[in-house]
Amino acid sequence: MKRKPQEVLCFLRFFVGVILFPILVIHQEQIHKMETITIKIENIVDIDALSREYDMANEDLISFHNQHCALHEILPEALPKYIQYLYLPADKYRNWEKKQVQISRIDMPATLDILTYGVLIRQYPSDIQINYLVDIQKKQENEVSVKRHKLYVDEIEVELMVEKIMETAGEALYPLRLSLGNEGKIEKILNVKEILSRWNKNYLPALQAYYKGKTAEDIMEKLDRFYKNMGNGREVLDYNIFYSIFFLPLYGSYPDYQKKEELSFYFSAIDEMVSFDAFFSLQKTYTEQGKIVIQIRGEQNNAEVGLEKGCLDLIYKLDKETNSIFSVEGNLSTFYNKEECKVYIEIYHQKSYI
């Protein structure tokens, strides 16, 4: 039997009023019962930046806020607006919070681990590349032991006489025991006598017996001075760019997540130490892989007036759990006779030997 138009209209009203309307009400109640977090907004709302920060689409962030806010806090979709508070889903906020570096301080690593790092150093304009593996063993308190493995130049084993002398002489340095300050900088070489004994009894006599000629004698004389000067302090290690980069004063307090230090690095291309005014920035957010990031940028402070200044740009990533260095990457430069001298360095934690 066909229904009259009036009956159909009454049925639709009944359907909407009795069936659909309660569903809509329940849905609205569920929305308003969702747990929210309220954050304070300091300036005009930057929807794009907030959406990226809390991993939400722009329209989802605006919609959620508008469903939970007062009438005077409603956000338009296009026009910027100043509001005091923004309403966010609690789960989005908690996910964001987990990624935040809560305190602006990094303590020295405490775990007694042996970590292996791959080191790559490339110098310009000579375009020479050196790479090797190094073991860093954390010992009691602020003591570490360093051991370097085989050296490669331009990705092949050293072949030239000068390179072989340097590599062999370098082996006398290891194992190297160091005492660090609370910020991670080298304070003292602990086993100077042991290193000198290795050099004088084993390495220097072997090199002198094998390599002859004026060039070899000059190199060995310089190396002998290097080892004899070790007793004068840790400064001899400044001539190795690895130690200057790896043992920077990374640890300690970062007021407002920043600090300033004067850093010096040796440029072998010009045989000079170059100083930089360096700004350390502790990033407030962990990486997706859970790493702490410290960016160091600086400008050369001892350049002659009117000449171009070198710069410093390094990125350090530290393990979130242990605070040990996971990686270092970046470059430093200076100018000599209007030509840029540059050092690029990579240091990466290796889980195992390749």
Side-chain angles (χ1 to χ4, degrees):
M1 181 179 71
K2 290 186 178 180
R3 295 182 183 274
K4 294 178 181 180
Q6 293 87 350
E7 292 176 333
V8 172
L9 184 60
C10 288
F11 175 76
L12 288 172
R13 287 173 178 167
F14 170 80
F15 184 79
V16 171
V18 176
I19 299 176
L20 282 183
F21 183 72
I23 292 173
L24 291 171
V25 171
I26 290 169
H27 178 65
Q28 290 297 325
E29 287 179 352
Q30 287 174 339
I31 288 174
H32 286 286
K33 284 180 181 178
M34 288 179 66
E35 191 179 356
T36 64
I37 295 289
T38 307
I39 64 170
K40 189 171 178 62
I41 301 296
E42 301 295 339
N43 300 302
I44 292 175
V45 183
D46 186 339
I47 296 297
D48 291 335
L50 287 167
S51 297
R52 289 193 299 270
E53 193 166 356
Y54 293 102
D55 193 26
M56 298 179 71
N58 287 18
E59 56 271 22
D60 292 341
L61 185 145
I62 293 170
S63 174
F64 186 91
H65 170 84
N66 289 344
Q67 288 166 3
H68 293 82
C69 71
L71 285 175
H72 68 278
E73 296 176 312
I74 287 178
L75 280 171
E77 290 188 8
L79 297 174
K81 181 178 178 180
Y82 176 79
I83 58 172
Q84 280 190 301
Y85 300 99
L86 182 72
Y87 298 86
L88 295 168
D91 60 333
K92 293 291 185 180
Y93 179 83
R94 291 193 185 105
N95 287 339
W96 169 86
E97 193 174 34
K98 289 176 184 175
K99 297 177 182 178
Q100 304 309 298
V101 178
Q102 298 297 330
I103 58 174
S104 58
R105 178 180 180 83
I106 306 175
D107 293 322
M108 285 272 288
T111 53
L112 305 181
D113 293 331
I114 300 178
L115 301 177
T116 299
Y117 294 92
V119 180
L120 181 148
I121 302 167
R122 183 180 287 277
Q123 298 189 58
Y124 302 94
S126 63
D127 202 27
I128 296 173
Q129 177 177 300
I130 296 172
N131 54 289
Y132 54 88
L133 293 176
V134 61
D135 293 336
I136 308 289
Q137 182 178 8
K138 177 73 171 62
K139 293 181 175 290
Q140 297 295 334
E141 298 181 349
N142 287 355
E143 182 184 335
V144 296
S145 176
V146 182
K147 183 179 180 181
R148 195 200 72 194
H149 296 272
K150 196 164 189 62
L151 188 73
Y152 292 85
V153 177
D154 295 332
E155 298 185 352
I156 59 174
E157 291 189 33
V158 294
E159 295 179 344
L160 300 177
M161 179 192 72
V162 174
E163 294 173 352
K164 287 184 176 182
I165 292 175
M166 298 295 288
E167 183 193 26
T168 303
E171 292 173 2
L173 191 61
Y174 304 101
L176 173 65
R177 289 173 47 228
L178 303 171
S179 174
L180 309 181
N182 290 329
E183 292 186 337
K185 197 170 181 179
I186 299 171
E187 286 191 338
K188 187 178 180 181
I189 301 171
L190 297 175
N191 60 333
V192 171
K193 290 182 179 180
E194 176 189 324
I195 293 168
L196 279 173
S197 177
R198 281 199 297 264
W199 170 249
N200 289 322
K201 291 182 179 179
N202 302 320
Y203 287 88
L204 181 57
L207 288 170
Q208 289 173 333
Y210 191 82
Y211 295 101
K212 303 294 182 182
K214 184 70 169 58
T215 301
E217 289 173 2
D218 289 345
I219 294 170
M220 284 184 278
E221 184 180 338
K222 289 179 181 179
L223 290 168
D224 193 41
R225 283 201 301 270
F226 167 82
Y227 281 106
K228 285 182 168 55
N229 285 334
M230 290 190 73
N232 296 329
R234 49 151 298 280
E235 286 76 13
V236 293
L237 296 179
D238 291 340
Y239 292 92
N240 185 318
I241 194 70
F242 169 79
Y243 293 99
S244 300
I245 294 288
F246 193 87
F247 295 104
L248 279 187
L250 296 174
Y251 301 98
S253 179
Y254 284 74
D256 296 324
Y257 290 85
Q258 294 183 350
K259 68 177 182 177
K260 182 181 177 181
E261 299 274 351
E262 183 178 58
L263 303 176
S264 295
F265 300 95
Y266 175 69
F267 283 77
S268 59
I270 60 174
D271 193 24
E272 286 185 14
M273 299 293 296
V274 177
S275 296
F276 297 84
D277 289 324
F279 294 88
F280 291 57
S281 297
L282 172 61
Q283 304 302 296
K284 296 181 180 180
T285 305
Y286 296 111
T287 67
E288 290 295 327
Q289 294 75 35
K291 300 293 184 278
I292 301 167
V293 177
I294 299 172
Q295 184 170 42
I296 303 175
R297 286 179 172 170
E299 188 177 74
Q300 183 178 349
N301 63 17
N302 60 349
E304 293 183 23
V305 177
L307 297 181
E308 288 189 84
K309 294 181 178 181
C311 61
L312 172 69
D313 190 355
L314 298 166
I315 296 287
Y316 287 74
K317 293 181 181 178
L318 312 184
D319 185 87
K320 180 181 176 181
E321 304 301 327
T322 66
N323 292 347
S324 60
I325 292 176
F326 174 77
S327 68
V328 185
E329 184 175 1
N331 55 73
L332 46 153
S333 65
T334 188
F335 286 84
Y336 184 76
N337 289 338
K338 297 183 179 181
E339 184 176 37
E340 185 179 31
C341 299
K342 190 174 179 180
V343 178
Y344 172 79
I345 187 164
E346 289 181 15
I347 303 172
Y348 281 97
H349 175 222
Q350 306 273 358
K351 290 187 177 179
S352 59
Y353 290 110
I354 298 173

